[in-house]
Amino acid sequence: MGLISDIKTIKRKDPAARHALDILLTYNGMHAIWIYRFTHLLWVLKLKLIAKIIASLARFLTGVEIHPAAKIGKNVVIDHGTGIVIGETVQIADDVLIYHNVTLGGTGNESGIKRHPTICTGAMIAAGAKVLGNIKVGAHAKVGANAVVLKDVPDYSTAVGIPAKIIPNEKSSGAVCSLANKK
């Protein structure tokens, strides 16, 4: 989950990424992920107030809000990160692509329970999408631009519209991943 891996992943997933220095200096989504990793470590070490203060500063600097308690896998790309909100109990697996103005949020105010989405391996969340509640977006599933997703999206399916409708493809089985997020 290092710097080199992050840069290679962005280069692979973003056709506008020109070279490593460009990515290193100008990709606010990547900067947000790096700061999140530090704040998550602080959170795990029970330095929660410090983690939240640094996360707030990161939001100011990058335009991306990631709660330090969220769990994010490797090779996650936040492309054009401005306006992204990732809630406290969100789980994001490996190789996920998230575009700007996405909300991975809760639907209630209970504490001590999982109230945010789980995004499975290889999923893509398009610009402006809202994925809300303790639901899963399946492996290699896609959420269309500005969709409002309130129920599970099966593996390899696409969710579009308000509220989102599920469009299966030939690989869809109706199953939703059982996220093996190692964090």
Side-chain angles (χ1 to χ4, degrees):
M1 286 198 303
L3 173 72
I4 303 292
S5 178
D6 290 338
I7 289 171
K8 285 181 179 178
T9 301
I10 289 172
K11 205 154 169 73
R12 183 172 36 90
K13 291 189 175 197
D14 183 356
R18 305 241 184 286
H19 49 78
L21 187 60
D22 174 32
I23 296 167
L24 185 65
L25 296 176
T26 66
Y27 276 65
N28 70 322
M30 186 176 67
H31 300 149
I33 292 283
W34 290 345
I35 297 168
Y36 152 77
R37 289 180 185 152
F38 178 64
T39 64
H40 184 71
L41 174 63
L42 293 173
W43 190 268
V44 169
L45 294 173
K46 307 289 188 221
L47 299 170
K48 294 181 178 184
L49 180 58
I50 295 169
K52 287 184 84 174
I53 290 168
I54 294 170
S56 290
L57 180 60
R59 180 183 62 226
F60 175 75
L61 294 172
T62 66
V64 177
E65 179 175 344
I66 305 175
H67 194 286
K71 295 178 181 169
I72 299 177
K74 63 182 181 178
N75 297 327
V76 170
V77 173
I78 295 176
D79 195 5
H80 305 290
T82 302
I84 288 179
V85 176
I86 298 175
E88 180 180 17
T89 62
V90 167
Q91 291 181 296
I92 302 174
D94 300 341
D95 298 311
V96 170
L97 177 58
I98 302 171
Y99 288 95
H100 59 283
N101 289 322
V102 165
T103 299
L104 302 177
T107 55
N109 62 359
E110 303 86 12
S111 63
I113 64 167
K114 179 143 172 43
R115 61 188 189 282
H116 296 91
T118 296
I119 311 299
C120 299
T121 302
M124 188 275 297
I125 315 294
K130 309 301 176 225
V131 184
L132 305 173
N134 183 12
I135 62 173
K136 288 183 180 177
V137 174
H140 306 283
K142 295 179 181 173
V143 175
N146 296 313
V148 176
V149 182
L150 302 171
K151 61 184 181 179
D152 289 350
V153 179
D155 297 350
Y156 295 96
S157 297
T158 301
V160 293
I162 304 172
K165 292 184 169 81
I166 306 301
I167 302 169
N169 81 11
E170 64 276 357
K171 291 184 181 179
S172 300
S173 66
V176 179
C177 76
S178 61
L179 183 66
N181 197 343
K182 299 158 202 86
K183 292 189 166 196

Coordinates of all heavy atoms in Angstrom, one line a residue, residues 3 7 11 17-27 30-31 34:
L3 N 3.5 4.3 -1.8 CA 3.5 5.4 -2.7 C 3.6 4.9 -4.1 O 2.8 5.3 -5.0 CB 4.6 6.3 -2.3 CG 4.9 7.5 -3.3 CD1 3.8 8.5 -3.1 CD2 6.3 8.1 -3.0
I7 N 0.7 5.3 -7.1 CA 1.0 6.1 -8.4 C 0.7 5.1 -9.6 O 0.1 5.6 -10.5 CB 2.4 6.6 -8.4 CG1 2.5 7.8 -7.4 CG2 2.8 7.1 -9.8 CD1 3.9 8.2 -7.1
K11 N -2.1 5.7 -12.5 CA -1.7 5.8 -13.9 C -2.5 4.8 -14.8 O -2.9 5.0 -15.9 CB -0.2 5.5 -14.0 CG 0.5 6.0 -15.2 CD 1.9 6.3 -15.0 CE 2.7 6.6 -16.1 NZ 2.8 7.6 -16.9
A17 N -3.6 10.9 -16.3 CA -2.4 10.9 -15.5 C -1.2 10.8 -16.4 O -1.0 9.8 -17.1 CB -2.4 9.7 -14.5
R18 N -0.3 11.8 -16.4 CA 0.8 11.8 -17.3 C 2.0 11.1 -16.8 O 2.6 10.3 -17.5 CB 1.1 13.3 -17.6 CG -0.1 14.1 -18.1 CD 0.1 14.6 -19.5 NE -1.0 15.4 -20.0 CZ -2.2 15.0 -20.3 NH1 -2.5 13.7 -20.3 NH2 -3.1 15.8 -20.8
H19 N 2.5 11.5 -15.6 CA 3.7 10.9 -15.1 C 3.7 10.9 -13.6 O 2.8 11.6 -13.0 CB 5.0 11.5 -15.7 CG 4.9 13.0 -15.6 ND1 5.2 13.7 -14.4 CD2 4.6 14.0 -16.5 CE1 5.1 15.0 -14.7 NE2 4.7 15.2 -15.9
A20 N 4.6 10.2 -13.0 CA 4.6 10.1 -11.5 C 4.7 11.4 -10.8 O 4.0 11.6 -9.8 CB 5.8 9.2 -11.1
L21 N 5.5 12.4 -11.3 CA 5.6 13.6 -10.6 C 4.3 14.4 -10.6 O 3.9 15.0 -9.6 CB 6.7 14.5 -11.2 CG 7.1 15.8 -10.4 CD1 7.5 15.5 -9.0 CD2 8.2 16.5 -11.2
D22 N 3.6 14.4 -11.8 CA 2.3 15.0 -11.9 C 1.3 14.4 -10.9 O 0.6 15.2 -10.2 CB 1.8 14.7 -13.3 CG 0.4 15.2 -13.6 OD1 -0.1 16.2 -13.0 OD2 -0.3 14.6 -14.4
I23 N 1.3 13.1 -10.8 CA 0.4 12.4 -9.8 C 0.8 12.8 -8.4 O -0.1 13.2 -7.6 CB 0.4 10.9 -10.1 CG1 -0.1 10.6 -11.4 CG2 -0.3 10.2 -9.0 CD1 0.2 9.1 -11.9
L24 N 2.0 12.7 -8.1 CA 2.5 13.0 -6.8 C 2.2 14.4 -6.3 O 1.8 14.6 -5.1 CB 4.1 12.8 -6.7 CG 4.8 12.9 -5.4 CD1 4.3 11.8 -4.5 CD2 6.3 12.9 -5.6
L25 N 2.2 15.3 -7.2 CA 2.0 16.7 -6.7 C 0.6 17.2 -6.9 O 0.3 18.2 -6.2 CB 3.0 17.6 -7.6 CG 4.5 17.4 -7.3 CD1 5.3 18.3 -8.3 CD2 4.9 17.6 -5.9
T26 N -0.2 16.6 -7.7 CA -1.5 17.3 -8.1 C -2.7 16.4 -7.8 O -3.8 17.0 -8.0 CB -1.5 17.7 -9.5 OG1 -1.5 16.5 -10.4 CG2 -0.4 18.6 -9.9
Y27 N -2.7 15.2 -7.3 CA -3.8 14.4 -7.2 C -4.4 14.5 -5.7 O -3.9 13.7 -4.9 CB -3.5 12.9 -7.6 CG -3.7 12.8 -9.1 CD1 -2.8 13.4 -10.0 CD2 -4.7 12.0 -9.6 CE1 -3.0 13.3 -11.3 CE2 -4.9 11.8 -11.0 CZ -4.0 12.5 -11.8 OH -4.2 12.4 -13.2
M30 N -5.5 11.2 -4.0 CA -4.4 10.4 -3.5 C -3.9 11.0 -2.2 O -3.6 10.3 -1.2 CB -3.3 10.3 -4.5 CG -2.2 9.3 -4.0 SD -0.9 9.0 -5.3 CE -0.2 10.6 -5.4
H31 N -3.7 12.3 -2.1 CA -3.3 13.0 -0.9 C -4.3 12.7 0.3 O -3.8 12.4 1.4 CB -3.2 14.5 -1.1 CG -2.2 14.9 -2.2 ND1 -2.4 16.0 -2.9 CD2 -1.1 14.3 -2.6 CE1 -1.4 16.1 -3.8 NE2 -0.6 15.1 -3.7
W34 N -3.6 9.2 1.6 CA -2.4 9.1 2.4 C -2.7 9.7 3.8 O -2.2 9.1 4.8 CB -1.3 9.9 1.7 CG -0.7 9.3 0.5 CD1 -0.9 8.1 0.0 CD2 0.1 10.0 -0.5 NE1 -0.3 7.9 -1.2 CE2 0.4 9.1 -1.5 CE3 0.6 11.3 -0.6 CZ2 1.1 9.4 -2.6 CZ3 1.3 11.6 -1.7 CH2 1.6 10.7 -2.7

